[in-house]
Amino acid sequence: MEKLSIRNFGPIRELELEIKKFTILVGEQSTGKSTVAKIVSIFKDAIVVLGFIDLSSKLRHFGLANYFQENTLIKYESDEYDIECRSLKDCKIIPKSQNLIEALEKTRQISDFFATSGVASTSLAHETLNNQGINTSVYIPAERILISSITASPFEYLNSEIQLPEYLASFGKIFQDTRKEINDFSVDWLGVKYSYSKSENWISYKRKKIRMSESATGFQNVIPLLMAFERPSKIDKSSISYSIEEPELSLFPQTQYLLIKHLVEKCHALSTSLLITTHSPYVLSAFNNLIYANKAGKVNSKKTEKIIAKKYWIDSSNVTAVFLNEKGKADNILDNDIDQIDVEKIDQISRAINLEYDELFNIENK
């Protein structure tokens, strides 16, 4: 079991969150969705937990250093370890499992090597930690569309030339490493193929091949996201937790549904966890269908599988869904009685818009 509690940090006043296999964060702008996603990604990153990168440095890396207040308290609890932060200089990691204690010992044995290895140390750290079976994390930012415009330049050096957020440069490095091993990548449900050749990212769609930077913005957003789930074979993907900002960006509603099904299938197959932030009622409805399929499948599995394949079904006990409100608190939006997410919580603006339309209609037709 994993739990996160945050008090007085950035826009968040008070939050209690149980992190499950699928964790969904909903809310208006500037209510703290990305803040929570970043904290989870940082606190679940093994290179931080084992001290390869200082926790305060990672918080700066994600642009969170100035979010601390006088009475801030962030607590993360898991079976492996706990983390507690009160300020940028007052963060402690408390190991709990024997597996982690052994990994910490290994860290001490190779610390001198990592201290002198420079940029490559992070990749080597992840490889070493995956071999130990310690979890790590991948953060997939909303700014991922920029990846398609940055082709040949190594991302680890790029940030010294262009002022990219460091977490975006880190994600770019993941994309760069993946395309070295997987330079042809087909997405059948999207009808698109990605390739990398002649120092360019290419998209093939409807018998046309164009540079990814010149393709539809939906492709530019979704291809880097999907590639993150196809990381090099040397990485143990089952030890990775993924945090994705707004997976729905620039995608048609039906494509949003297909993307969520793909991500759920990947998480089931790899035994990974997924946290997403979203503004899309279609994303919530997609999760609702997959949760309901699991429920209906208990009544009649064969009939249910004809509608939604079993590889997409989600047990509601593996889902957390919360709405971050303007007061800096989180409301549960998963109704445990009917095992469904309250889509109206995110789509209530539609009622307001429709009401406005009705009032205008009444004026015209009086």
Side-chain angles (χ1 to χ4, degrees):
M1 181 178 292
E2 296 176 64
K3 291 184 178 180
L4 177 69
S5 61
I6 302 176
R7 189 179 71 210
N8 298 318
F9 183 77
I12 301 169
R13 301 278 70 80
E14 187 176 356
L15 175 141
E16 299 284 339
L17 182 69
E18 186 174 352
I19 303 165
K20 296 186 177 180
K21 185 177 182 69
F22 300 102
T23 303
I24 304 163
L25 307 178
V26 178
E28 294 184 16
Q29 304 86 253
S30 299
T31 52
K33 300 183 302 298
S34 294
T35 300
V36 174
K38 289 173 180 177
I39 287 290
V40 170
S41 189
I42 293 167
F43 285 12
K44 295 185 74 169
D45 195 338
I47 64 171
V48 172
V49 175
L50 295 185
F52 291 112
I53 293 179
D54 184 69
L55 182 53
S56 61
S57 297
K58 197 74 170 179
L59 289 163
R60 290 190 185 93
H61 174 110
F62 275 88
L64 301 176
N66 295 322
Y67 280 26
F68 285 94
Q69 301 167 33
E70 187 176 345
N71 53 352
T72 290
L73 177 61
I74 307 173
K75 294 180 72 175
Y76 171 79
E77 302 173 75
S78 72
D79 295 334
E80 294 279 334
Y81 58 91
D82 294 346
I83 297 178
E84 184 175 305
C85 281
R86 295 180 182 273
S87 71
L88 198 60
K89 296 181 180 179
D90 184 11
C91 288
K92 55 186 179 182
I93 301 170
I94 306 159
K96 293 160 70 174
S97 73
Q98 186 61 36
N99 192 37
L100 181 56
I101 291 169
E102 291 173 1
L104 283 165
E105 176 59 30
K106 189 167 186 177
T107 300
R108 283 189 284 271
Q109 293 172 5
I110 60 175
S111 59
D112 289 342
F113 173 80
F114 282 103
T116 58
S117 293
V119 173
S121 64
T122 299
S123 298
L124 187 53
H126 277 298
E127 184 177 352
T128 303
L129 299 172
N130 283 328
N131 290 337
Q132 286 288 111
I134 305 296
N135 286 345
T136 190
S137 62
V138 170
Y139 187 77
I140 304 176
E143 302 95 324
R144 57 187 174 271
I145 191 172
L146 295 175
I147 300 297
S148 65
S149 300
I150 304 168
T151 53
S153 300
F155 277 86
E156 59 264 43
Y157 302 117
L158 182 64
N159 211 31
S160 63
E161 302 171 10
I162 302 173
Q163 289 302 308
L164 289 176
E166 290 186 41
Y167 58 81
L168 178 58
S170 295
F171 178 66
K173 180 64 165 56
I174 290 172
F175 179 77
Q176 176 182 284
D177 289 345
T178 303
R179 74 185 182 190
K180 288 177 183 176
E181 185 171 317
I182 308 170
N183 50 28
D184 286 301
F185 175 56
S186 295
V187 186
D188 293 339
W189 54 268
L190 197 57
V192 68
K193 180 181 178 181
Y194 164 84
S195 59
Y196 180 68
S197 64
K198 299 179 180 179
S199 299
E200 290 277 5
N201 298 304
W202 299 92
I203 290 291
S204 298
Y205 181 66
K206 292 185 176 179
R207 298 182 181 179
K208 292 182 179 180
K209 185 175 180 178
I210 59 174
R211 290 178 177 86
M212 189 162 79
S213 59
E214 299 170 354
S215 69
T217 54
F219 293 155
Q220 294 182 55
N221 273 302
V222 79
I223 293 298
L225 184 163
L226 296 174
M227 289 282 281
F229 284 79
E230 307 293 333
R231 298 186 75 190
S233 57
K234 65 182 179 180
I235 302 293
D236 178 9
K237 301 180 189 70
S238 66
S239 66
I240 299 174
S241 64
Y242 293 88
S243 296
I244 307 175
E245 281 194 272
E246 301 177 40
E248 70 271 10
L249 286 175
S250 303
L251 296 178
F252 188 70
Q254 176 64 16
T255 309
Q256 293 181 36
Y257 183 33
L258 294 174
L259 172 60
I260 294 304
K261 289 172 75 174
H262 176 84
L263 295 177
V264 168
E265 179 186 6
K266 282 289 184 181
C267 287
H268 285 332
L270 301 173
S271 298
T272 60
S273 62
L274 175 67
L275 181 149
I276 68 164
T277 72
T278 184
H279 293 125
S280 172
Y282 305 110
V283 167
L284 298 188
S285 294
F287 274 102
N288 272 344
N289 276 19
L290 306 185
I291 292 169
Y292 201 30
N294 185 73
K295 191 174 183 179
K298 294 176 181 178
V299 177
N300 192 319
S301 180
K302 288 185 178 180
K303 283 187 176 181
T304 304
E305 283 199 74
K306 289 180 179 179
I307 302 170
I308 298 177
K310 194 170 184 177
K311 62 184 177 181
Y312 303 124
W313 298 1
I314 301 174
D315 190 320
S316 63
S317 66
N318 291 324
V319 179
T320 289
V322 299
F323 182 89
L324 277 68
N325 62 43
E326 68 280 0
K327 295 179 180 179
K329 298 186 177 183
D331 303 320
N332 175 47
I333 57 171
L334 178 61
D335 189 324
N336 294 321
D337 292 330
I338 60 173
D339 293 335
Q340 290 284 274
I341 300 168
D342 182 7
V343 179
E344 290 297 312
K345 195 72 176 180
I346 198 174
D347 201 30
Q348 54 192 342
I349 187 61
S350 293
R351 293 199 304 274
I353 293 171
N354 290 336
L355 180 61
E356 192 176 73
Y357 180 90
D358 291 341
E359 290 173 349
L360 294 171
F361 180 83
N362 290 336
I363 291 172
E364 184 197 15
N365 293 278
K366 250 189 174 180

